[in-house]
C-alpha cells in the first residue's frame, strides 16, 4: 500500500482543510514530519489509519468521536480522504466519524452518524485522479474491504506499516499468536492450515473406520454369544470335538457297514469261487487233452494253422466267460431292485390303509361346510345394515362439513364486514382531515424552501469565507512585498549616504575644518566599502515600493469587500437560523415529512372519493352474514336428523352382528372359511387318490422288477451255456494242436510268416495251459474250505448297517456345516482383527502426524507455524543485517529456542543475540533506543521478505513516529543510513520526530504549524 494524497478537515488539531500530496515524497523515498510538541504530527498518522480502518494509531488516542476537532463549529464537518495505491490499482477512501455536535439553533446536541465510502480511481488524460466505480459503502463494509485489499487488520497495520509513538516495541515483543496472525496475512499461508485440517480429517477418518471395524467384530462375535476371538476359538474347539466324535462314530458304523458289505461280498465271492474252481478244472482238462494234438501239429503246417484257429477259439471262449460274468452281475442287480420294489409296494399299501382311517375327518368337514352355508342369509342382512350405516355416516360427514363451511363462511363474512366498517370509518376520518393536511403541506413547503435557502446561503458564506481567506493570504503577501520593497529602498539610500560621507571624508585635510561639522580634527573619517548606487537604481526601487503600496491598498480593499460580504451573508444566515430555530439543520427530515403529508393528503382525497363504494361494500358483507347464518341453521337441522337415523341403523347392525360369529363378520370371511373347508376336503380326497395311485404304481414297479429279475436269470443261464459250449470247443481244438518235441518243431519250420503264425499259436497254447493251471491253482486255493454261502442273509445285514450309517452321516453333515461356519467366522474375525491392527498402526502414524501438525508436539508448533517460522527466519536474517549496521555489529535478531510460556504455543517468539556477552536474551531487555532500532530493523526486514515472496502482501510504505530521540548520535547516523538506503528499493518511509539533527539530515520535510484556528501543514522549501 502506497499513500498518494491525504485530506483532513475538522480532524484532531486540523480545523481547516489540510491536504498532503505524497508525490514528491514518493520520489524522494524518505521524508520527515516535524513541528512543535502538540502541533499534530502524530495526528497525520491517526488520519491515515482512521481513513483505512476507522481507528487511530493507538488505543490511548481515542476512536470515532474523539477524532473530531474541538475547534470545529456545528456547521463544520469532520472528514478524512485518502487516495492510495495497491499495486497498480488506485483507490479513494472517504470516512467521517460518528459524533455529537451542538445544535446550530437552540440548546442540546444532535447525533451525526459515521460514514465511509471506498471507490476505485483512474487517471484522466491530464493526469488527475477521477472516480472509476464504487467498491464498498458503510463503515463496516469499507473496513472489511480494506482489510482484504491490504492483507491485514488495524492491529497488524499498526505493527507492520506504522511504528506508533510509544508503541514501537509492540511488534518486537508481540507473542507468537499475535505475530502468527500478522505473518499469516502477509504471506498468505492459509494453504498450510488446510493441510493441517486435511491431516486431522484423515486421522479422524481412520479412527471412525477403526470404530466401525470394531463394531463389526463385536457383531460377528455376538453371533455366537462370545466377546473375544479366544472365546470363539473355544466354541470352535467344542464343535470340532463334537464333529470328531461324530466322525469316529460314523467311522465305526462305516466299518460295520463295510464288514457287512464284505460279508455279502464274501458270500457272493464264495459262490463265485466254487463256480470258478469248477470252470478252471474243466478248462485245464480241456487244454491238457490238446497236448498230444499240438505236438503232432508242430511238424505240419496244418498243425500251425490249427494253432492259429485255436487262438480265435480261445478268444471266443474268453468273450463267453465275460458275458457270463456280466449276466451274473445284472442278475444280482435285478434281485436287489426286486427287493426294493417289494418294500415300496408294502409301504404304499400301508399308506393307503392310513388314508382309509381318515374317513371320519371328511364327514366332519362336510358337516362344517353345511353349517357355513346356512350363515349366508344372515351375513347378507348384516352387510345391508352396514351399507346403510355407511351411507348415513357419509351423509352425516357431509352435513358436518357443510356446517363447518357455513360457520367458516359466517366467520369470513363477519371479518370482512368488520374490515369494511373499519375501512369506511378510517376513510371518513382521513377525508375529514383533507383540508388540514393541505394546509400542513403548504406550511412544510414554505419551511423546506426556507431551509434550502439557508443551505444555499451557508454554501455562499463558506465560499465567501474561503475567498476571504485567500484575499487575506494575498494581503499578507502584499504586505510582505511592500516591506521587502521598503527594505530594498532603505538599503540603497543608506549605501548612497555612506558613499557620500566617504567621498567628503576623502577631501578632509589635517588642520582644515570639516565642511559638515567645522571641526579641524578628523579622528574617524568615513570609509566606503561598496560602490555608490546609481540614481536610476534608487528611482526604480522607489517605483517598486509605490507599486507594492498600490498592491497592498488593492489587497486591503479586496479584504474589506470580502469581510463585508462575509458579514452580510453571516447576518443572513443568523437571521434564517433564528427564524428556523432547531429545524434549520433538519432539511432531510422536513422534506421527508413534506412527502409524508402530501401522501396523506392524496390518500385523504382518494378516501373521500371511495366513501360511497365502501358503504356499498359494507352493506354487501352485512347481507352475506345474514345468508351465512340462515345456511348454518338449515345445515344444523339436517345434521340432527341424520344423527337420529344413524343411531337407529347402528342398533340394527348390532342386532345382525349378534347372529353371526365375530370371526365371520368381516367381508369375505365366510367365503374364506368355506374355501378352507373345501381345500381340506379336497386335500383328503387327493391324499386318498395319491395313496391308491401309489399302491398301483408300486404293484406295477414290482411286476417290472420280477420280470427283469426273471429275464436276468435266464440271461445268466444262457451265458453259462454259451461258456460251457465255448469251453467244449476249446478243449476239442487243444487236443488237436498238441506237439511232441523240438525236432518235430524244426522239421515243421516253414516260411517266416507261417512260422511266426505257428509260433504264435504254440505260444498261445502254452499260455492258455499255464493260465488254466494258475486259475485252477488260485481257484482251488481260494475255494479251499469254502462252504455254500447265505447271500440273502448277508444282504439284509448290510441294509441295516447302511441305515444306521446314513443317520449318523446326516448328523455329521450338520456338524461339518457348523464347523465350516465357525471356520469362516474365525477367518472373518481374524481378518477384522488384522484390519483393526492395521488401522491402529496407520492411525498411530497418521494420528501422530496430525497431532504434530496441529501443535501437539514438544515444541507446541503447528505445521503452519513451522512454515511461518521459516519465513520469519528469512525476515530475521534481513532484519539482523540492518540491526547489526545500526548497532555497530552488536545485536542480531533470532527466534527463541523455546516458548517463554509452556502453556501456550510458541515457535515465533523472538530473542536478541548480544555479541558483547555472547549470550541470547529476551528482546524485552533491550533499552528504549535499542528496542527502537530492533523494531525498525524488524519492520524493514519484514517488508523486504514479503516483497521477495510471491502471493504475499506488498509493503510499499513505512511510518515511524518518534523513537529517534532515544538514540545517541552514532546510532542515529546508522539508523538514517539504513533509512536513506531504502530509497533505492522504491519504498516510501515517513519519519515523525522533533530531533533537530533529523531536519538537517532529511532534505524533504513536512512542517506542522500550530495556531489558534487549528494547525496547518506545508512542505518546507
Amino acid at each position: 500500500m502506497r499513500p498518494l494524497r491525504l485530506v483532513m478537515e475538522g480532524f484532531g488539531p486540523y480545523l481547516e482543510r489540510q491536504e498532503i500530496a505524497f508525490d514528491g515524497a514518493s520520489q524522494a523515498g524518505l521524508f520527515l514530519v516535524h513541528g512543535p510538541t502538540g502541533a499534530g504530527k502524530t495526528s497525520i498518522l491517526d488520519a491515515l489509519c482512521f481513513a483505512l480502518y476507522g481507528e487511530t494509531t493507538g488505543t490511548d488516542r481515542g476512536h470515532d468521536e474523539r477524532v473530531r476537532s474541538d475547534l470545529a463549529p456545528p456547521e463544520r464537518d469532520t472528514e478524512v480522504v485518502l487516495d492510495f495505491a495497491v499495486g497498480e490499482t488506485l483507490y479513494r477512501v472517504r470516512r467521517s466519524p460518528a459524533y455529537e455536535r451542538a445544535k446550530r439553533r437552540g440548546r442540546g446536541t444532535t447525533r451525526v452518524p459515521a460514514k465511509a465510502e471506498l471507490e476505485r480511481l483512474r487517471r484522466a488524460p491530464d493526469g488527475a485522479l477521477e472516480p472509476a466505480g464504487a467498491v464498498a459503502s458503510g463503515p463496516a463494509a469499507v473496513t472489511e474491504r480494506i482489510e482484504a485489499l491490504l492483507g491485514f487488520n488495524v492491529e497488524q497495520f499498526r505493527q507492520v506499516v506504522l511504528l506508533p509513538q510509544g508503541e514501537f516495541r509492540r511488534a518486537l515483543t508481540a507473542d507468537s499468536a499475535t505475530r502468527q496472525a500478522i505473518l499469516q496475512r502477509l504471506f498468505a499461508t492459509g494453504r498450510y492450515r488446510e493441510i493441517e485440517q486435511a491431516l486431522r480429517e484423515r486421522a479422524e477418518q481412520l479412527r471412525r473406520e477403526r470404530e466401525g471395524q470394531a463394531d463389526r467384530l463385536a457383531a460377528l462375535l455376538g453371533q455366537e454369544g462370545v466377546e473375544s476371538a479366544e472365546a470363539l476359538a473355544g466354541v470352535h474347539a467344542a464343535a470340532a470335538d463334537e464333529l470328531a466324535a461324530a466322525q469316529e462314530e460314523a467311522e465305526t458304523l462305516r466299518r460295520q457297514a463295510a464288514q457287512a458289505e464284505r460279508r455279502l461280498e464274501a458270500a457272493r465271492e464264495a459262490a463265485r469261487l466254487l463256480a470258478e474252481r469248477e470252470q478252471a478244472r474243466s478248462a485245464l482238462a480241456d487244454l491238457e487233452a490238446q497236448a498230444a494234438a499240438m505236438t503232432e501239429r508242430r511238424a505240419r503246417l496244418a498243425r500251425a494253422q490249427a494253432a492259429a484257429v485255436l487262438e480265435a477259439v480261445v478268444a471266443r471262449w474268453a468273450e463267453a466267460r465275460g458275458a457270463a460274468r456280466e449276466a451274473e452281475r445284472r442278475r444280482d442287480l435285478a434281485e436287489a431292485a426286486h427287493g426294493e420294489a417289494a418294500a415300496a409296494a408294502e409301504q404304499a399299501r400301508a399308506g393307503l390303509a392310513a388314508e382309509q382311517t381318515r374317513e371320519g375327518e371328511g364327514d366332519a368337514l362336510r358337516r362344517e361346510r353345511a353349517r357355513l352355508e346356512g350363515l349366508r342369509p344372515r351375513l347378507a342382512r348384516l352387510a345391508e345394515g352396514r351399507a346403510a350405516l355407511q351411507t348415513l355416516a357419509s351423509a352425516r360427514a357431509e352435513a358436518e362439513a357443510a356446517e363447518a363451511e357455513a360457520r367458516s363462511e359466517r366467520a369470513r363474512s363477519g371479518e370482512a364486514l368488520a374490515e369494511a366498517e373499519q375501512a369506511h370509518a378510517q376513510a371518513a376520518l382521513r377525508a375529514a382531515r383533507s383540508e388540514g393536511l393541505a394546509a400542513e403541506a403548504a406550511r412544510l413547503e414554505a419551511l423546506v424552501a426556507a431551509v434550502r435557502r439557508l443551505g444555499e446561503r451557508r454554501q455562499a458564506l463558506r465560499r465567501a469565507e474561503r475567498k476571504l481567506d485567500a484575499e487575506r493570504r494575498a494581503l499578507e503577501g502584499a504586505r510582505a512585498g511592500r516591506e521587502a520593497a521598503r527594505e530594498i529602498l532603505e538599503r540603497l539610500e543608506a549605501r548612497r549616504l555612506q558613499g557620500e560621507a566617504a567621498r567628503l571624508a576623502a577631501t578632509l585635510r589635517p588642520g582644515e575644518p570639516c565642511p559638515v561639522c567645522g571641526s579641524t580634527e578628523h579622528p574617524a573619517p568615513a570609509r566606503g566599502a561598496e560602490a555608490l548606487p546609481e540614481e536610476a537604481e534608487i528611482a526604480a526601487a522607489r517605483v517598486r515600493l509605490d507599486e507594492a503600496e498600490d498592491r497592498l491598498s488593492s489587497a486591503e480593499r479586496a479584504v474589506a469587500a470580502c469581510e463585508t460580504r462575509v458579514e452580510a451573508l453571516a447576518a443572513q444566515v443568523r437571521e434564517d437560523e433564528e427564524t428556523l430555530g432547531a429545524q434549520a439543520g433538519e432539511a432531510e427530515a422536513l422534506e421527508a415529512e413534506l412527502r409524508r403529508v402530501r401522501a396523506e393528503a392524496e390518500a385523504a382525497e382518494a378516501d373521500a372519493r371511495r366513501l360511497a363504494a365502501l358503504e356499498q361494500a359494507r352493506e354487501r358483507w352485512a347481507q352475506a352474514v345474514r345468508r351465512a347464518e340462515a345456511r348454518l341453521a338449515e345445515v344444523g337441522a339436517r345434521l340432527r336428523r341424520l344423527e337420529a337415523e344413524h343411531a337407529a341403523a347402528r342398533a340394527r347392525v348390532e342386532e345382525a352382528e349378534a347372529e353371526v360369529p365375530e370371526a365371520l363378520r368381516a367381508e369375505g370371511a365366510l367365503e374364506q372359511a368355506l374355501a378352507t373347508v373345501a381345500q381340506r376336503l379336497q386335500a383328503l380326497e387327493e391324499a386318498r387318490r395319491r395313496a391308491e395311485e401309489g399302491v398301483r404304481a408300486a404293484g406295477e414297479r414290482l411286476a417290472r422288477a420280477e420280470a427283469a429279475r426273471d429275464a436276468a436269470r435266464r440271461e445268466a443261464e444262457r451265458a453259462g451255456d454259451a461258456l460251457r459250449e465255448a469251453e467244449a470247443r476249446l478243449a476239442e481244438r487243444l487236443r488237436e494242436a498238441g506237439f511232441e518235441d523240438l525236432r518235430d518243431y524244426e522239421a515243421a519250420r516253414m516260411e517266416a510268416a507261417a512260422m511266426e503264425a505257428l509260433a504264435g499259436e504254440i505260444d498261445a497254447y502254452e499260455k492258455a495251459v499255464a493260465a488254466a493251471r494258475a486259475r485252477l491253482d488260485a481257484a482251488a486255493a481260494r475255494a479251499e474250505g469254502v462252504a455254500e454261502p447265505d447271500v440273502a442273509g448277508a444282504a439284509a445285514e448290510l441294509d441295516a448297517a447302511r441305515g444306521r450309517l446314513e443317520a449318523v452321516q446326516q448328523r455329521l453333515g450338520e456338524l461339518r456345516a457348523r464347523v465350516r461356519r465357525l471356520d469362516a467366522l474365525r477367518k472373518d474375525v481374524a481378518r477384522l482383527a488384522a484390519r483393526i491392527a492395521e488401522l491402529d498402526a496407520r492411525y498411530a502414524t497418521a494420528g501422530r502426524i496430525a497431532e504434530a501438525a496441529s501443535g501437539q508436539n514438544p515444541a507446541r508448533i503447528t505445521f503452519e507455524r513451522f512454515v511461518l517460522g521459516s519465513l520469519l527466519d528469512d525476515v530475521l536474517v534481513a532484519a539482523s543485517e540492518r540491526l547489526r549496521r545500526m548497532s555497530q555489529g552488536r545485536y542480531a535478531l533470532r527466534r527463541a529456542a523455546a516458548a517463554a510460556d509452556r502453556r501456550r504455543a510458541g515457535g515465533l517468539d523472538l530473542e536478541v543475540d548480544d555479541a558483547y556477552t555472547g549470550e541470547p536474551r529476551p528482546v524485552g531487555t533491550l533499552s528504549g533506543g535499542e528496542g527502537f532500532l530492533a523494531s525498525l530493523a524488524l519492520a524493514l526486514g519484514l517488508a523486504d521478505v514479503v516483497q521477495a515472496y510471491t502471493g504475499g502482501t506488498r509493503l510499499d510504505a513505512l511510518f515511524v513516529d518518534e523513537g529517534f530521540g532515544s538514540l545517541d548520535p552514532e546510532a542515529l547516523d546508522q539508523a538514517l543510513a539504513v533509512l536513506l538506503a531504502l530509497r533505492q528499493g522504491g519504498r516510501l518511509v515517513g519519519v515523525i520526530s522533533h530531533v533537530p539533527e533529523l531536519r538537517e539530515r532529511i532534505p524533504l520535510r513536512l512542517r506542522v504549524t500550530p495556531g489558534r484556528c487549528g494547525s496547518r501543514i506545508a512542505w518546507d522549501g
Side-chain angles (χ1 to χ4, degrees):
M1 188 281 294
R2 177 183 291 272
L4 303 177
R5 184 178 70 102
L6 177 66
V7 179
M8 301 172 289
E9 183 175 1
F11 184 89
Y14 302 103
L15 173 63
E16 301 295 337
R17 176 186 174 90
Q18 301 295 313
E19 179 175 337
I20 304 174
F22 292 98
D23 295 341
S26 297
Q27 296 174 2
L30 177 66
F31 70 95
L32 172 68
V33 180
H34 69 97
T37 300
K41 301 185 295 297
T42 301
S43 295
I44 296 174
L45 298 188
D46 287 339
L48 190 148
C49 190
F50 175 79
L52 293 172
Y53 295 101
E55 298 186 26
T56 57
T57 57
T59 56
D60 59 343
R61 297 190 60 79
H63 297 280
D64 288 0
E65 300 178 11
R66 295 300 304 157
V67 301
R68 176 170 169 79
S69 175
D70 293 334
L71 302 173
E75 66 274 8
R76 174 76 69 179
D77 292 332
T78 296
E79 183 180 64
V80 178
V81 180
L82 175 65
D83 295 347
F84 62 97
V86 178
E88 299 298 325
T89 308
L90 307 178
Y91 296 92
R92 173 174 294 160
V93 60
R94 186 186 308 272
R95 194 184 292 266
S96 298
Y99 59 91
E100 295 282 343
R101 65 165 175 78
K103 292 184 177 179
R104 296 188 175 100
R105 293 292 297 172
R107 297 181 178 180
T109 60
T110 183
R111 180 74 174 178
V112 177
K115 293 180 290 185
E117 295 178 355
L118 177 64
E119 59 184 349
R120 191 175 287 105
L121 302 177
R122 61 169 173 251
R123 289 200 179 273
D126 60 355
L129 298 179
E130 59 183 16
V135 176
S137 178
V142 169
T143 300
E144 181 179 0
R145 185 61 177 160
I146 288 291
E147 290 179 353
L149 287 174
L150 271 60
F152 29 67
N153 58 27
V154 63
E155 287 296 331
Q156 297 158 348
F157 183 81
R158 290 168 181 160
Q159 297 183 42
V160 176
V161 179
L162 301 181
L163 293 182
Q165 182 177 359
E167 298 187 19
F168 60 86
R169 296 175 67 94
R170 289 182 59 195
L172 182 67
T173 59
D175 58 15
S176 285
T178 302
R179 187 167 289 110
Q180 176 175 344
I182 296 173
L183 297 177
Q184 283 172 339
R185 284 180 174 266
L186 293 178
F187 291 103
T189 59
R191 59 185 179 274
Y192 300 105
R193 283 197 306 276
E194 296 174 359
I195 293 174
E196 291 178 18
Q197 181 63 26
L199 290 172
R200 285 194 296 270
E201 291 175 355
R202 177 56 179 160
E204 179 62 19
Q205 179 184 359
L206 289 174
R207 186 189 64 78
R208 288 196 301 269
E209 184 178 355
R210 196 270 182 202
E211 291 178 353
Q213 297 293 344
D215 292 341
R216 288 187 58 197
L217 177 60
L220 289 178
L221 293 173
Q223 294 178 6
E224 292 297 327
V226 297
E227 297 181 354
S228 64
E230 292 75 11
L232 180 62
V235 173
H236 179 270
D241 291 342
E242 188 177 358
L243 175 62
Q247 287 176 336
E248 185 176 353
E249 182 181 0
E251 185 62 28
T252 300
L253 293 175
R254 193 177 293 109
R255 287 195 298 270
Q256 292 176 359
Q259 291 171 1
E261 187 174 2
R262 285 195 296 273
R263 283 192 292 272
L264 176 59
E265 289 296 330
R268 291 176 177 170
E269 182 66 16
R272 186 186 63 79
L273 290 175
L274 294 174
E276 183 180 338
R277 183 181 62 183
E278 294 302 322
Q279 294 171 359
R281 283 176 181 171
S282 176
L284 180 59
D286 292 343
L287 288 173
E288 288 177 345
Q290 296 175 9
M294 289 299 294
T295 302
E296 293 175 357
R297 291 177 182 174
R298 283 191 181 95
R300 303 189 307 273
L301 178 59
R303 293 179 62 189
Q305 293 173 343
V309 173
L310 180 62
E311 188 175 314
V313 172
V314 171
R316 284 194 297 273
W317 169 78
E319 182 179 355
R321 186 180 61 178
R325 290 178 178 175
E326 179 64 23
E328 288 177 356
R329 188 186 65 79
R330 286 197 296 269
R331 182 191 63 194
D332 294 340
L333 292 175
E335 291 286 353
H338 178 268
E340 293 176 358
E346 183 61 29
Q347 184 178 1
R349 286 192 293 272
L352 178 59
E355 291 298 327
Q356 288 172 350
T357 61
R358 298 177 65 190
E359 285 297 331
E361 183 180 351
D363 295 339
L365 289 173
R366 293 184 188 91
R367 288 192 299 273
E368 177 64 14
R369 181 174 60 186
R371 185 184 71 82
L372 293 174
E373 288 290 347
L375 292 176
R376 285 185 183 276
R378 298 175 186 175
L379 279 174
R381 288 194 300 273
L382 178 59
E384 292 174 359
R386 285 179 171 173
L389 184 63
Q390 182 65 31
T391 301
L392 288 172
S394 299
R396 187 176 68 175
E398 293 176 358
E400 290 174 348
E403 183 185 32
E405 183 179 358
R407 290 183 186 277
S408 177
E409 180 62 27
R410 184 180 65 178
R412 288 196 300 271
S413 299
E415 292 174 358
L417 175 59
E419 292 176 358
E421 290 177 345
Q422 183 180 2
H424 183 273
Q426 291 176 351
L429 180 61
R430 286 194 296 268
R433 294 179 56 205
S434 176
E435 295 181 0
L437 289 172
E440 177 66 12
R443 184 187 71 82
L444 288 172
E445 288 175 354
L447 191 59
V448 168
V451 171
R452 289 175 178 169
R453 186 168 58 254
L454 173 60
E456 294 172 356
R457 287 175 176 174
R458 284 174 173 171
Q459 292 178 357
L461 176 59
R462 285 193 289 271
R463 290 194 298 271
E465 289 175 341
R466 287 194 294 271
K467 185 176 180 182
L468 174 60
D469 291 339
E471 294 296 342
R472 284 175 175 171
R473 288 192 295 272
L475 175 61
E476 293 296 328
R479 285 174 178 168
R482 184 192 64 178
E483 293 300 323
R486 180 181 294 167
E487 290 177 359
I488 292 173
L489 178 60
E490 289 176 351
R491 285 197 300 272
L492 289 174
E493 289 178 343
R495 284 171 53 199
R496 185 183 63 178
L497 291 175
Q498 182 68 24
E500 290 292 338
R503 185 177 60 81
L504 290 174
T507 61
L508 293 178
R509 297 290 183 267
E512 294 182 0
C514 174
V516 177
C517 63
S519 175
T520 58
E521 294 181 1
H522 315 292
R527 300 181 183 277
E530 298 179 358
L532 291 175
E534 297 292 337
E535 189 63 32
E537 186 178 358
I538 296 174
R542 287 196 181 99
V543 171
R544 287 195 294 274
L545 178 58
D546 292 339
E547 292 175 350
E549 292 285 355
D550 293 339
R551 286 194 296 273
L552 177 59
S553 298
S554 297
E556 290 174 343
R557 288 193 297 273
V559 167
C562 287
E563 289 177 343
T564 302
R565 172 65 175 164
V566 168
E567 290 175 357
L569 288 172
Q572 292 176 349
V573 168
R574 286 192 298 273
E575 180 181 357
D576 290 344
E577 288 177 344
E578 292 174 357
T579 302
L580 294 173
Q583 295 173 330
E586 307 295 337
E588 294 182 358
L590 289 173
E591 290 178 353
E593 179 66 14
L594 176 59
R595 289 193 294 272
R596 185 189 66 77
V597 170
R598 284 175 175 171
E600 288 187 0
E602 293 174 357
E605 293 177 359
D607 288 337
R609 292 190 295 271
R610 291 173 54 233
L611 279 177
L614 291 173
E615 179 64 30
Q616 293 175 0
R618 183 174 64 178
E619 180 58 30
R620 285 196 304 274
W621 284 116
Q623 293 176 2
V625 168
R626 290 192 290 274
R627 287 195 300 272
E629 290 176 347
R631 173 64 176 163
L632 181 60
E634 177 187 351
V635 172
R638 180 186 173 196
L639 178 60
R640 289 189 293 275
R641 184 178 67 255
L642 289 172
E643 287 176 347
E645 293 176 0
H646 184 272
R650 165 54 64 187
R652 290 193 296 273
V653 168
E654 290 175 352
E655 181 180 355
E657 286 178 343
E659 298 176 354
V660 179
E662 184 176 358
L664 300 176
R665 294 174 188 172
E667 183 179 355
L670 178 60
E671 296 301 329
Q672 181 65 31
L674 285 169
T676 301
V677 171
Q679 289 174 358
R680 292 177 62 188
L681 277 172
Q682 184 179 358
L684 284 173
E685 294 172 355
E686 180 65 20
R688 175 67 177 272
R689 187 191 63 77
R690 286 198 300 270
E692 292 174 349
E693 180 64 24
V695 170
R696 184 190 61 78
E700 292 178 354
R701 178 185 173 190
L702 180 58
R704 288 195 299 272
E706 289 177 349
R709 181 193 61 184
D710 295 341
R713 286 176 178 175
R714 290 192 297 271
E715 180 63 25
E717 291 175 358
R718 284 195 297 271
D721 294 341
L723 178 59
R724 285 188 291 275
E725 182 180 355
E727 288 175 346
R729 285 197 302 270
L730 179 59
E732 180 181 358
R733 298 298 296 273
L734 285 175
R735 286 191 299 271
E736 296 174 354
F739 293 93
E740 292 180 357
D741 52 24
L742 181 61
R743 185 178 298 173
D744 291 341
Y745 169 76
E746 293 291 337
R749 282 182 64 88
M750 297 180 185
E751 294 180 358
M755 289 176 64
E756 185 178 356
L758 184 57
E761 291 178 5
I762 294 171
D763 185 57
Y765 172 74
E766 291 175 349
K767 288 179 180 180
V769 171
R773 286 175 178 164
R775 277 198 306 273
L776 179 57
D777 293 340
R782 288 193 295 270
E784 185 177 2
V786 175
E788 189 67 28
D790 182 7
V791 177
E797 182 182 357
L798 177 60
D799 291 338
R802 285 176 175 173
R804 292 191 298 273
L805 179 60
E806 287 177 0
V808 173
Q809 284 178 337
Q810 181 177 1
R811 186 162 62 89
L812 186 61
E814 296 172 355
L815 290 172
R816 283 175 177 158
R818 173 168 171 73
V819 171
R820 284 196 298 272
R821 185 172 60 79
L822 288 173
D823 285 338
L825 184 60
R826 290 187 67 191
K827 291 179 180 178
D828 292 340
V829 168
R831 186 169 59 254
L832 284 175
R835 178 59 177 165
I836 290 172
E838 177 189 355
L839 290 173
D840 286 340
R842 292 173 62 188
Y843 180 76
T845 301
R848 284 197 299 272
I849 293 174
E851 290 173 355
S854 300
Q856 299 179 30
N857 51 61
R860 300 181 62 81
I861 299 176
T862 64
F863 179 52
E864 183 186 15
R865 184 167 289 185
F866 173 77
V867 174
L868 291 174
S870 299
L871 296 172
L872 180 58
D873 289 340
D874 294 343
V875 172
L876 296 179
V877 169
S880 296
E881 180 181 353
R882 290 189 171 92
L883 182 57
R884 288 190 185 97
R885 291 178 56 190
M886 291 187 288
S887 64
Q888 297 183 349
R890 179 176 181 180
Y891 294 121
L893 293 173
R894 74 175 191 178
R895 279 197 296 152
D901 187 350
R902 296 295 296 174
R903 295 171 298 177
R904 296 185 299 174
L908 302 180
D909 295 321
L910 301 184
E911 60 185 15
V912 62
D913 271 334
D914 190 342
Y916 287 3
T917 64
E919 294 292 333
R921 56 190 173 98
V923 291
T925 62
L926 293 172
S927 66
E930 293 170 340
F932 172 74
L933 292 178
S935 299
L936 180 61
L938 180 62
L940 297 176
L942 185 62
D944 290 341
V945 175
V946 167
Q947 292 185 186
Y949 283 86
T950 60
T953 302
R954 183 175 176 86
L955 303 179
D956 293 321
L958 175 67
F959 297 92
V960 183
D961 188 1
E962 295 298 348
F964 291 93
S966 60
L967 304 180
D968 57 39
E970 190 171 359
L972 180 62
D973 290 341
Q974 295 296 332
L976 284 177
V978 170
L979 292 177
L980 290 171
L982 296 177
R983 293 180 296 180
Q984 300 177 356
R987 192 173 303 139
L988 174 64
V989 180
V991 176
I992 296 177
S993 180
H994 62 276
V995 176
E997 290 85 349
L998 291 179
R999 291 198 297 272
E1000 299 174 0
R1001 301 289 299 277
I1002 300 177
L1004 183 62
R1005 299 180 298 275
L1006 185 66
R1007 183 178 70 257
V1008 181
T1009 305
R1012 291 184 176 274
C1013 296
S1015 298
R1016 296 180 179 275
I1017 298 174
W1019 292 103
D1020 287 343

